[in-house]
Amino acid sequence: MAQQARAIRTRRLLLDAAAAVFGERGYERATIGEILNRAGVTKGALYFHFASKEDLALGVLGAQLLDEPLTPQETKLQELVDQGFLLAHRLQTDSLVRASVALALDSGATGVDRAAPFKAWVDQVAEALTVAKARGEILPHVNVLDTAELFSGAFAGIQTMSQVLCDRKDLTHRVVVLLQHVLPSISTPAVLTGLDMSQERARFLAAAYEKARQRREEGGPADAED
């Protein structure tokens, strides 16, 4: 367990260092040497986790996706709500996730697939909506892929606006507004009435996520909810 915890911390150190150097220098100008100096680890430690600078960048980009599965809920649409709230929390509190979004929007990062996180988010939302449709949670006319792209694109837009206007301090509120406008247009009435799209739900999820993250870093079990 202790060795696993050290490996997790080293990987995180490398990703944090890469994110910082990419942010300061730009992806193209950043060097492995700068990243190693910032992280304070050996070249061997780096190559144990990442094969190249591009692999490091992909690791930074991948930080947007949840590192632990969501706790299953009674409806798939509630899981989609929870996913939005947790991403908002991580954008507000996790420098690596913020750097991941910045790298995805860095037009100068021509050597890395910046489209990957956008595609991953669309795929993840589409998968949730596909299950929701099969369960009868969403209206029959809803096009799953179009809705997944709309939701992912809208989230990207509101988080960017929130970042520019107030360093994402109001992002949770903006996510609530987004959910309140999108979900009534796709959800069946019976499911919609049971969805918790409140800021209280967002705070509960954030607290549970932070507790699980701390356990994970300490090498213990990372239960998402108690």
Side-chain angles (χ1 to χ4, degrees), residues 105-181:
L105 298 175
D106 180 5
S107 59
T110 56
V112 66
D113 181 12
R114 296 186 297 116
F118 293 103
K119 292 175 181 176
W121 275 116
V122 170
D123 289 347
Q124 194 164 311
V125 174
E127 182 181 358
L129 291 174
T130 298
V131 174
K133 193 166 191 176
R135 293 179 180 177
E137 297 178 18
I138 62 179
L139 299 170
H141 72 273
V142 173
N143 182 294
V144 165
L145 181 58
D146 286 348
T147 304
E149 290 180 343
L150 171 66
F151 185 80
S152 301
F155 193 104
I158 64 169
Q159 75 82 23
T160 300
M161 179 180 288
S162 181
Q163 176 195 9
V164 171
L165 293 178
C166 60
D167 195 29
R168 298 193 179 98
K169 291 182 176 65
D170 67 353
L171 182 54
T172 301
H173 168 71
R174 290 182 184 274
V175 172
V176 169
V177 173
L178 174 64
L179 293 168
Q180 289 175 340
H181 281 74

Side-chain angles (χ1 to χ4, degrees), residues 1-18 35 38-42 45-46 48-50 56 67 96 213-220:
M1 281 295 185
Q3 185 175 1
Q4 181 183 10
R6 283 197 299 272
I8 291 171
R9 285 194 293 270
T10 299
R11 188 176 191 277
R12 175 64 192 233
L13 274 174
L14 287 163
L15 289 173
D16 283 339
I35 294 169
R38 183 69 61 93
V41 302
T42 65
L46 184 148
F48 176 81
H49 292 279
F50 302 100
L56 262 172
D67 41 12
L96 179 55
R213 181 185 61 79
Q214 184 176 4
R215 287 175 182 165
R216 186 168 61 252
E217 290 179 352
E218 292 172 352

